[in-house]
Amino acid sequence: MLKLLFSFLFFLPLIVIAQQNITVVKGRIIDGTTGQPLSDISVSLNDSHYGIRTDKKGNFYLTADGTFNVVTFSYLGYQTITKIIKPGQVNELLISLYSSQTQLKEVSITSRKNKRYRNKGNPAVELIQQVIDHKEQNRMESADYLQYDQYERLGLSLFNLPPILTNSRLFSKYKFMLDTTSIIDGKIQTSLPGYLSEKLTQHFYRKKPEKSIQVLQAEKGINIVKFVDTVGVDIYLNRLYGNTIDIYDNNIFIVTNQFLSPIANHAPDFYKFFITDTVQTVNGKLVELSFTPRNKGDLLFEGKLLVTMDGNYAVKACELNVNKEININFMRSLKIRLNFEPYPGGRYELVKSNVQANFGLLRNKSIGVFGERTVIYSDYKFNSPLPEVFYRGKSLQTAADHLQADTSYWNHHRTDTLTRQEAGSYARISRLEQMQSFKTATWIAGAIVNDFADIGPVQVGPIGSLISYNTQEGARFQLGGRTTPKFNPSFYLDGYAGYGTADRQFKYDLSTIFALNKTAPYRFPNDYFKLSYLYDVDIPGQSFALNNAQAGLSSFQSGVTDYWLYDRIFSVSYIKDFENHFSYNLSFRNWNQRPAGTLVFRLNDEPHTIVPDLTTNQITLGLRYAPHEQIIQGSKDRTTIYSKYPIINLQVTQGFASYHYTTITASLNKRFYLSQLGFADFTLLGNLLTGKVPFPLLNISPANQSIAYDPDAYNKMYYLEFVSDHYMGINFTQSFNGFFLNKIPLIEHLKWREYLSFKVLYGGLRNENNPLYTTNLYQFPASANGANGTYALGNTPYVEAGAGIGNIFKLLRVDLIKRFNYLDHPGISPYSIKLSFNFDL
């Protein structure tokens, strides 16, 4: 028995290895003509989802669980070959690939370098025009009914980590996180995985009436920086790496920009096309089309297309890259590969999409961020309608148990196999999260990023508001905090206390929140009651934090800023969000305003009576609708990710007690994407106030006297300069993304970007609210002692416009603003320079 037991233990490892049936294929691929190594060659095991690409030296190493006997090597422009291998063993191969030799007989290619490229008479342009003309019949949505399954994987990792870090004593305990076998841009790199997300989704489409439904069946993921909103990061990264890449669209949205598709309707005006090869397959002849931008700085691709020659002119495969001169910051490389397979009826449907992008502060040497998004499309069903009631459901649906899928479920339903490195990321990060040193580092990073520091069930902050300065308070010191769901998921406390060294007054804000859906008030969706009491300083008609993103610049002001208020506000509110991003809020507010600085509330009666303060009661109903909105949820507020969909706001306020009035305010915000001309942000706003009120309750136009550019304010208007009881306004900003500057010699390499802005405000003030015509109103502040004074917005609209250059040093934007009218007001200059810092791709 002892001998048998010993023999079993001795041979157990060999038995286990034999049972694993691991097939290994490794080796090198070279060009059969030149002998040079070939990078990015696809190596795949037949009838499986195992695959890899060669590195810059042509090397590959592919391992798979199972018995496989055929391996395929393929790449656009080269003949695809297959090799028989020994299953369950290590196979070492040296592969020579040869260019496809079959050329179109009617095409002649010359190498005359001085010959000018022309569209006219160019067979490549004639062919791409055929592809353009057949787009509608080849795109997925041409079917009346369509169903398919989608598997999506998105991974993010750091690489080019400096040896001084990885070899340091501090990092020694984290070395298990390093992956030394990652292939990035065709080169084996050492990387640090930080994010991995997987999703399984079912898609349903009906053409008439058009309806798309997505059902999320399962998802799982890991995030090394969990103090950041994981859902919001996932949304942003999917947009960054191409949420939906449709080669048949005129524009492809990726890396937060619109790229013109090489088969867009007007693609021949921006691209150069060349027929570079033909390929004969079992499904017919394919033509390889190469393309390159006419101007390398524009948001265009370069790469190759494989086009069918069966009369449908469908895309069989494509590779999209970008050149190093493109006007995108921090991007070192971008590679997109799309593969299509034939279906009945001559259609080619997308079966795989792969996007790889490499970002870094410097071109090559600094730490980089490498991301890869892979999407597998399967189980296509055409013209198989479901019951009518199904299409009445929500466009975005989630299975109740989508987070409960276990390992066996994923192994069975995952339609693309994880690499060994990706599969190991789950275990690595799970181990990392248990380490106390990592928890401490995460706490510090979370406090810096979120502006709040976690102390058990309480958060202290905002940290950025601990110390500040303004002319009324002098140096201001503030300390605040709030409870978290750890304290109570339904009951929240929030507030701060501050003190100014110049006015020697304490300020405070205390809030109590009861969440009906057990969700923190700074998370979506909201459904809560809020009771608050505030006493603090403010500027009339402004939010005191003029532009939080430019707080440093906002400390520098032009002209005198000495109109101040001390607000004392008691409010009760109810806020409700719906899943379709319609929301409303209903609130009661008791508002007391006490003037300070040079601001005085003075009646226009004979003795010019001084009014110490103004108190009013208000009931407000606010409505907001943002269809298809996607958000990143921060620690204090939400950030809407820009899209083509509008955002509509409507607010109605009824004042009573001391003054009876009604205010209706509405706005519509929309971004228009204009392909190669960038994008335009458009805002339409309006307001109507009925009733008789003193000027602190009128519409006070938002102004900006800081040197920081504020897109939501009038940048050449002084504080409290204009009041009105009705107005309409248009704000328009055009960002050209460098479309013109990219074409100017000597400065094209700087990658600057152009901006134009235009703002118009048209309105007026009825006599009943003008102290020059009606008694028992407050006098407008007069221009004296350096103050600019207050005026009624007249029949002439206020107009300002600007021209700016951005992306200076990849960060700075400078705008020249011109004011066109009301130049007779004291202290007005028609021009000013505004600055802003924008960290953008």
Side-chain angles (χ1 to χ4, degrees):
M1 289 298 294
L2 290 175
K3 290 181 178 180
L4 288 174
L5 178 61
F6 177 81
S7 300
F8 176 79
L9 293 176
F10 181 82
F11 288 106
L12 179 62
L14 299 179
I15 295 172
V16 172
I17 292 174
Q19 287 179 340
Q20 288 179 341
N21 290 327
I22 296 177
T23 301
V24 177
V25 185
K26 64 178 182 178
R28 191 163 180 256
I29 302 179
I30 60 174
D31 187 293
T33 303
T34 66
Q36 295 295 316
L38 296 176
S39 63
D40 278 339
I41 302 299
S42 175
V43 183
S44 60
L45 296 174
N46 282 24
D47 300 322
S48 79
H49 297 291
Y50 289 101
I52 199 171
R53 290 185 177 271
T54 56
D55 62 20
K56 287 187 176 181
K57 295 182 179 180
N59 297 318
F60 63 92
Y61 187 98
L62 177 60
T63 179
D65 294 334
T67 55
F68 301 94
N69 54 19
V70 177
V71 62
T72 300
F73 304 89
S74 61
Y75 188 70
L76 285 177
Y78 283 86
Q79 296 177 356
T80 298
I81 66 171
T82 59
K83 290 286 185 180
I84 304 298
I85 58 175
K86 296 179 180 179
Q89 298 186 26
V90 177
N91 300 265
E92 188 166 359
L93 304 173
L94 176 62
I95 302 298
S96 298
L97 290 186
Y98 293 88
S99 297
S100 302
Q101 298 299 317
T102 308
Q103 300 288 338
L104 284 179
K105 295 181 179 179
E106 65 270 23
V107 178
S108 60
I109 301 176
T110 65
S111 59
R112 290 176 55 191
K113 296 183 179 179
N114 295 328
K115 185 176 180 179
R116 185 178 179 182
Y117 176 88
R118 296 180 181 274
N119 282 347
K120 187 176 181 180
N122 185 339
V125 175
E126 294 174 2
L127 179 56
I128 202 67
Q129 190 60 52
Q130 290 283 2
V131 178
I132 294 171
D133 293 341
H134 288 77
K135 281 197 306 181
E136 290 306 314
Q137 74 179 51
N138 286 318
R139 65 186 310 144
M140 189 181 295
E141 291 79 4
S142 65
D144 292 332
Y145 292 90
L146 175 67
Q147 301 176 37
Y148 61 91
D149 293 339
Q150 175 179 314
Y151 166 75
E152 168 192 321
R153 182 176 67 250
L154 175 61
L156 211 65
S157 58
L158 299 175
F159 71 100
N160 264 354
L161 300 174
I164 193 173
L165 171 63
T166 56
N167 296 328
S168 67
R169 183 177 179 182
L170 180 66
F171 193 80
S172 60
K173 64 181 69 176
Y174 302 116
K175 281 200 171 182
F176 69 90
M177 287 291 297
L178 296 178
D179 176 12
T180 59
T181 61
S182 298
I183 298 180
I184 300 175
D185 290 342
K187 180 180 179 182
I188 297 179
Q189 302 266 14
T190 297
S191 66
L192 177 67
Y195 182 89
L196 181 62
S197 169
E198 294 183 273
K199 294 180 182 179
L200 288 169
T201 311
Q202 288 184 314
H203 290 252
F204 304 87
Y205 174 77
R206 183 184 63 187
K207 191 172 185 179
K208 291 182 180 180
E210 188 172 13
K211 182 66 177 286
S212 295
I213 295 178
Q214 299 180 26
V215 182
L216 179 62
Q217 297 292 339
E219 68 174 325
K220 64 183 298 189
I222 50 174
N223 182 5
I224 201 172
V225 287
K226 287 191 174 180
F227 52 83
V228 179
D229 171 30
T230 300
V231 175
V233 169
D234 184 75
I235 292 172
Y236 180 78
L237 289 177
N238 272 281
R239 285 170 58 87
L240 188 67
Y241 287 90
N243 196 31
T244 301
I245 298 180
D246 186 354
I247 191 67
Y248 292 107
D249 270 346
N250 284 330
N251 295 285
I252 297 174
F253 195 95
I254 192 170
V255 196
T256 69
N257 288 282
Q258 272 193 335
F259 285 72
L260 189 72
S261 170
I263 57 174
N265 294 341
H266 51 294
D269 296 331
F270 293 89
Y271 285 103
K272 296 179 180 180
F273 292 94
F274 308 90
I275 294 178
T276 50
D277 204 354
T278 61
V279 180
Q280 189 68 43
T281 71
V282 294
N283 293 312
K285 183 186 295 184
L286 304 174
V287 174
E288 180 186 89
L289 277 171
S290 296
F291 52 89
T292 185
R294 291 176 180 264
N295 185 281
K296 293 186 177 181
D298 291 343
L299 296 181
L300 301 167
F301 296 111
E302 59 184 19
K304 299 178 180 179
L305 295 168
L306 276 180
V307 179
T308 66
M309 299 301 291
D310 57 358
N312 292 313
Y313 299 99
V315 176
K316 171 64 173 65
C318 71
E319 180 177 308
L320 310 175
N321 305 310
V322 295
N323 64 82
K324 294 183 178 180
E325 298 178 32
I326 195 169
N327 194 342
I328 294 182
N329 294 330
F330 316 116
M331 189 171 72
R332 294 168 174 171
S333 65
L334 173 67
K335 294 182 179 180
I336 303 172
R337 295 183 179 92
L338 304 178
N339 293 305
F340 300 77
E341 292 296 336
Y343 277 79
R347 296 177 54 85
Y348 278 75
E349 298 297 341
L350 181 64
V351 295
K352 184 174 182 179
S353 167
N354 179 264
V355 179
Q356 297 179 352
N358 173 0
F359 296 92
L361 290 177
L362 301 179
R363 172 57 63 181
N364 293 312
K365 298 181 180 180
S366 66
I367 295 177
V369 178
F370 176 77
E372 181 173 14
R373 183 175 186 267
T374 300
V375 183
I376 304 295
Y377 303 86
S378 60
D379 293 337
Y380 280 98
K381 295 180 181 179
F382 300 96
N383 299 320
S384 298
L386 295 172
E388 178 64 26
V389 67
F390 173 80
Y391 297 100
R392 299 173 191 165
K394 296 179 181 179
S395 296
L396 299 176
Q397 302 178 24
T398 302
D401 58 348
H402 71 288
L403 296 175
Q404 308 303 317
D406 56 15
T407 301
S408 61
Y409 176 92
W410 281 99
N411 289 339
H412 181 70
H413 291 84
R414 183 187 285 125
T415 53
D416 190 50
T417 304
L418 295 179
T419 65
R420 183 187 302 173
Q421 295 76 25
E422 289 170 333
S425 295
Y426 286 107
R428 286 194 188 103
I429 293 184
S430 177
R431 176 183 171 186
L432 179 68
E433 291 174 340
Q434 305 305 316
M435 299 175 64
Q436 184 57 47
S437 56
F438 176 73
K439 293 179 181 179
T440 302
T442 300
W443 183 89
I444 296 172
I448 296 172
V449 173
N450 294 325
D451 211 18
F452 282 90
D454 283 307
I455 303 177
V458 176
Q459 292 181 328
V460 177
I463 297 174
S465 301
L466 292 175
I467 302 175
S468 59
Y469 178 83
N470 62 74
T471 58
Q472 177 63 21
E473 297 178 282
R476 172 176 169 138
F477 301 91
Q478 178 177 307
L479 183 64
R482 67 187 183 188
T483 63
T484 70
K486 295 179 181 179
F487 177 82
N488 190 302
S490 299
F491 182 75
Y492 297 86
L493 299 174
D494 192 355
Y496 65 80
Y499 179 79
T501 58
D503 64 356
R504 299 183 179 180
Q505 293 195 42
F506 284 98
K507 295 90 180 176
Y508 50 86
D509 182 12
L510 304 173
S511 300
T512 301
I513 298 164
F514 182 72
L516 301 180
N517 61 349
K518 296 185 178 182
T519 300
Y522 45 88
R523 294 296 185 190
F524 180 86
N526 288 155
D527 187 5
Y528 65 81
F529 287 96
K530 180 179 181 180
L531 181 69
S532 66
Y533 191 84
L534 173 143
Y535 175 68
D536 210 336
V537 70
D538 206 348
I539 297 176
Q542 310 296 132
S543 171
F544 180 53
L546 295 176
N547 190 338
N548 292 328
Q550 314 291 342
L553 294 177
S554 298
S555 301
F556 300 93
Q557 303 285 327
S558 59
V560 176
T561 309
D562 204 24
Y563 293 146
W564 295 92
L565 289 171
Y566 284 93
D567 289 334
R568 192 180 298 274
I569 302 174
F570 169 77
S571 65
V572 180
S573 307
Y574 174 67
I575 294 91
K576 172 70 174 178
D577 291 332
F578 293 90
E579 291 185 1
N580 64 352
H581 289 269
F582 171 78
S583 61
Y584 71 89
N585 65 83
L586 182 64
S587 65
F588 164 80
R589 181 166 75 158
N590 175 270
W591 181 20
N592 176 268
Q593 302 178 69
R594 179 167 59 87
T598 60
L599 182 63
V600 177
F601 292 169
R602 189 192 308 272
L603 285 173
N604 61 347
D605 56 7
E606 188 60 32
H608 303 299
T609 305
I610 300 295
V611 179
D613 57 12
L614 169 64
T615 300
T616 186
N617 294 325
Q618 299 175 333
I619 294 179
T620 299
L621 173 64
L623 306 175
R624 181 181 185 271
Y625 182 47
H628 308 288
E629 182 183 34
Q630 294 179 320
I631 58 177
I632 294 179
Q633 302 185 73
S635 60
K636 293 180 289 187
D637 48 28
R638 313 169 191 165
T639 300
T640 297
I641 300 175
Y642 283 113
S643 70
K644 63 181 180 180
Y645 299 102
I647 299 176
I648 303 170
N649 288 278
L650 176 65
Q651 181 171 292
V652 181
T653 298
Q654 178 64 52
F656 58 96
S658 55
Y659 293 94
H660 292 266
Y661 58 94
T662 302
T663 302
I664 303 174
T665 304
S667 66
L668 184 148
N669 302 275
K670 185 172 181 356
R671 170 166 287 190
F672 294 90
Y673 289 97
L674 307 173
S675 188
Q676 293 302 289
L677 291 178
F679 59 86
D681 289 322
F682 176 83
T683 301
L684 178 65
L685 54 146
N687 177 281
L688 173 64
L689 183 150
T690 63
K692 178 182 177 180
V693 295
F695 78 83
L697 299 179
L698 292 172
N699 306 312
I700 302 175
S701 303
N704 178 24
Q705 289 183 217
S706 76
I707 65 171
Y709 180 80
D710 187 348
D712 298 318
Y714 299 97
N715 288 280
K716 279 302 298 175
M717 188 183 292
Y718 286 95
Y719 300 136
L720 199 52
E721 183 179 358
F722 288 102
V723 295
S724 62
D725 55 21
H726 59 280
Y727 69 78
M728 288 191 64
I730 295 176
N731 296 344
F732 178 83
T733 300
Q734 172 70 46
S735 173
F736 291 101
N737 280 339
F739 181 78
F740 298 105
L741 294 177
N742 288 341
K743 299 172 177 60
I744 300 178
L746 302 181
I747 68 169
E748 57 183 345
H749 67 282
L750 297 175
K751 298 184 179 180
W752 288 350
R753 300 170 186 172
E754 325 85 333
Y755 298 88
L756 292 178
S757 62
F758 181 71
K759 297 181 180 180
V760 178
L761 183 65
Y762 178 73
L765 184 67
R766 301 188 306 274
N767 287 345
E768 67 173 314
N769 288 315
N770 193 328
L772 297 177
Y773 303 98
T774 304
T775 58
N776 295 321
L777 292 174
Y778 297 175
Q779 295 179 11
F780 290 162
S783 56
N785 301 322
N788 301 95
T790 300
Y791 306 87
L793 188 63
N795 293 327
T796 301
Y798 172 89
V799 180
E800 72 177 32
I805 295 179
N807 208 41
I808 302 172
F809 306 117
K810 299 182 179 180
L811 186 65
L812 177 65
R813 172 177 163 180
V814 180
D815 284 84
L816 174 65
I817 308 297
K818 175 177 172 57
R819 174 168 166 167
F820 288 90
N821 46 22
Y822 296 100
L823 301 178
D824 56 338
H825 291 182
I828 296 299
S829 61
Y831 295 96
S832 68
I833 299 292
K834 300 286 183 177
L835 308 176
S836 57
F837 292 105
N838 300 283
F839 190 84
D840 194 9
L841 296 177

